[in-house]
Amino acid sequence: MAVIARHFRITGRVQGVGYRYFVLCVARELGIVGWVRNLPDGSVEAWAKGFPNVMETFQHELSFGPYNAQVTGIEVTEADASIKYDEFRILR
């Protein structure tokens, strides 16, 4: 099974509530590589790569976030899976 990559833009109350750390923990637990960061408009952006079934679980978890978050939307687009990352991290 080939790996896939996806780009996510998450909107709602997702900054200042531990959302990026939550994403980091979920990604590492699932064995996903990539990154997550806050955007100036108050949304969160992530790029992730993993096996299709794991990516579905990851996307499902993103739709909930940590306890204090309130996700109102997720935009998902396919991304270039040839980009190499060896871990998942939070970008500043």
Side-chain angles (χ1 to χ4, degrees):
M1 187 180 314
V3 297
I4 62 170
R6 291 187 178 151
H7 178 262
F8 301 91
R9 184 172 167 270
I10 304 97
T11 55
R13 187 168 41 127
V14 292
Q15 289 191 18
V17 294
Y19 192 88
R20 289 178 301 156
Y21 183 71
F22 169 83
V23 173
L24 173 73
C25 292
V26 170
R28 288 184 174 173
E29 182 178 309
L30 294 173
I32 290 172
V33 297
W35 51 264
V36 63
R37 67 179 170 189
N38 285 340
L39 293 177
D41 67 359
S43 64
V44 170
E45 177 183 35
W47 184 96
K49 182 167 81 170
F51 292 108
N53 59 331
V54 175
M55 291 294 286
E56 292 302 320
T57 301
F58 182 67
Q59 184 173 333
H60 178 76
E61 292 296 322
L62 292 182
S63 69
F64 292 102
Y67 175 75
N68 290 329
Q70 184 178 2
V71 176
T72 58
I74 300 179
E75 295 174 18
V76 183
T77 55
E78 296 301 316
D80 182 1
S82 68
I83 298 172
K84 306 256 188 230
Y85 283 96
D86 58 355
E87 66 179 355
F88 198 94
R89 60 185 148 177
I90 296 173
L91 300 182
R92 305 284 174 212

